[in-house]
Amino acid sequence: MLVTLKEILAIAEEGKFAVPAFNVYNMETVMGCIEAAEEAKAPVILQSYSRLFTQGSAYYLAPIVLAAAEKASVPVCFHLDHGASEQETTRAIRYGATGVMIDASAFDFDKNVEITKRVVDTANYIGIDVEGELGHVGTVNDESMDEFTNPDEAKEFVEKTGVAALAVLVGTAHGRYKKPPKLDIERIAVIKEKANVPLVLHGGSGIPDDQIIASIKAGIRKINFGTDICYSFLDGVFAVDRSTVAVDLFMKEPINCVKQFALSKIKLLGAEGMAK
Ligand code: 13P
């Protein structure tokens, strides 16, 4: 069933686990994630980067995600990942997203608040919840990163904007890590206590399992996986013999690889059996 970001995060909050948020790119990645969620009886978030909405793919992909979510027996939220502007979040909502992220984290605090609040006001008015970001989570290729999210600022940010979820900078980055990250678990716990909102971890691919588990104990309720979904899909593509020409048959293995990857993360995050 299709649910909103707030609804799915409430399930995670109640069960003290994290909902996996899988970045999807095509029908096959959607199929793999949904099959995993059904098998594990887990709530899941299927999300797409803003470029899929701005460059046209979402015209085809959004109806696939929505059809899959509506057919599913488990709660599924369709979320925009890293919307860069109010125009982008509006477009995603027009395509049926039931949650949107506005990422104004590269701006200073006041500007971030201003942009995020404007998006929250509009989205909430039509029943859509918003994820904001405070502390810019960059990529593994960045030379340096912002200072980690300040807990007092996080509290103020949540109060001023009304976001339903907050992405924080606590040691992760987007992409494939060159060496394992070291998360500031204590900081997550303090932010959670002060800001009292479901917290989001970006850059989920490659975080060691023990740190994922510790971060959830400290208050993380949504963890994003993008890079490793792509690798699992592509590993499947490269494993198939070229003599398989019918594309639907060719895609069975890539779909299965995505499913196995999604299942492993559902279990790690404690989401198995938590569908309500
Ligand atoms: P990874 O690609 O590092 O898993 O990060 C995904 C993400 O955080 C999407 O916003």
Side-chain angles (χ1 to χ4, degrees), residues 2-6 8-9 20-24 44-50 52-53 58 61-62 65-66 69 76-83 89 92-93 95-103 128-132 164-167 200 202 222 224:
L2 182 66
V3 300
T4 66
L5 182 65
K6 220 176 210 168
I8 211 159
L9 291 175
F22 298 119
N23 282 75
V24 290
V44 285
I45 296 169
L46 300 186
Q47 61 184 16
S48 286
Y49 281 120
S50 209
L52 279 90
F53 288 89
L61 185 59
V65 173
L66 292 172
V76 179
C77 167
F78 177 32
H79 190 61
L80 167 71
D81 194 22
H82 292 286
T89 54
I93 294 169
Y95 276 129
T98 52
V100 290
M101 177 187 190
I102 175 71
D103 179 1
I128 305 296
D129 313 306
V130 179
E131 172 186 341
L166 182 67
V200 183
H202 282 244
K222 169 178 183 273
N224 295 357

Side-chain angles (χ1 to χ4, degrees), residues 25 48 88 134 141 222 270 273:
Y25 299 82
S48 286
E88 291 192 11
L134 183 66
N141 298 320
K222 169 178 183 273

Side-chain angles (χ1 to χ4, degrees), residues 29-276:
T29 46
V30 173
M31 288 169 77
C33 293
I34 288 284
E35 283 179 22
E38 289 277 18
E39 189 168 309
K41 302 198 175 359
V44 285
I45 296 169
L46 300 186
Q47 61 184 16
S48 286
Y49 281 120
S50 209
R51 69 168 185 273
L52 279 90
F53 288 89
T54 55
Q55 295 176 8
S57 303
Y59 180 82
Y60 305 97
L61 185 59
I64 290 171
V65 173
L66 292 172
E70 271 152 20
K71 180 165 169 279
S73 63
V74 296
V76 179
C77 167
F78 177 32
H79 190 61
L80 167 71
D81 194 22
H82 292 286
S85 65
E86 198 176 2
Q87 283 94 330
E88 291 192 11
T89 54
T90 303
R91 180 183 289 219
I93 294 169
R94 171 85 170 83
Y95 276 129
T98 52
V100 290
M101 177 187 190
I102 175 71
D103 179 1
S105 62
F107 292 100
D108 66 29
F109 182 84
D110 290 338
K111 188 80 184 157
N112 190 353
V113 167
E114 182 195 321
I115 294 169
T116 305
K117 176 156 175 34
R118 207 166 49 230
V119 170
V120 170
D121 286 347
T122 308
N124 280 182
Y125 191 69
I126 50 173
I128 305 296
D129 313 306
V130 179
E131 172 186 341
E133 178 167 318
L134 183 66
H136 181 63
V137 182
T139 80
V140 293
N141 298 320
D142 290 347
E143 293 282 308
S144 66
M145 279 227 207
D146 276 10
E147 283 184 18
F148 285 2
T149 305
N150 175 304
D152 292 313
E153 282 188 359
K155 178 180 188 312
E156 191 183 340
F157 186 84
V158 170
E159 284 170 0
K160 286 189 163 159
T161 60
V163 289
L166 182 67
V168 288
L169 178 59
V170 290
T172 63
H174 297 95
R176 186 157 262 197
Y177 297 104
K178 290 165 190 131
K179 58 181 186 5
K182 175 104 189 59
L183 273 59
D184 189 342
I185 302 296
E186 182 56 34
R187 182 179 296 266
I188 296 171
V190 179
I191 297 171
K192 175 73 178 174
E193 200 205 318
K194 296 207 173 193
N196 195 24
V197 73
L199 301 179
V200 183
L201 206 53
H202 282 244
S205 301
I207 301 176
D209 289 0
D210 58 335
Q211 294 196 51
I212 293 236
I213 290 166
S215 75
I216 295 169
K217 273 210 180 98
I220 294 290
R221 295 289 171 256
K222 169 178 183 273
I223 304 185
N224 295 357
F225 298 97
T227 304
D228 278 350
I229 281 275
C230 294
Y231 276 113
S232 65
F233 177 78
L234 292 174
D235 285 349
V237 167
F238 294 130
V240 182
D241 192 282
R242 287 289 295 269
S243 64
T244 305
V245 175
V247 176
D248 59 322
L249 302 180
F250 187 99
M251 284 298 168
K252 280 185 187 295
E253 183 55 17
I255 292 169
N256 185 47
C257 288
V258 170
K259 177 182 173 183
Q260 297 313 322
F261 171 78
L263 265 176
S264 71
K265 295 304 168 192
I266 284 170
K267 289 178 183 171
L268 177 64
L269 272 53
E272 188 177 26
M274 299 306 250
K276 290 228 171 104

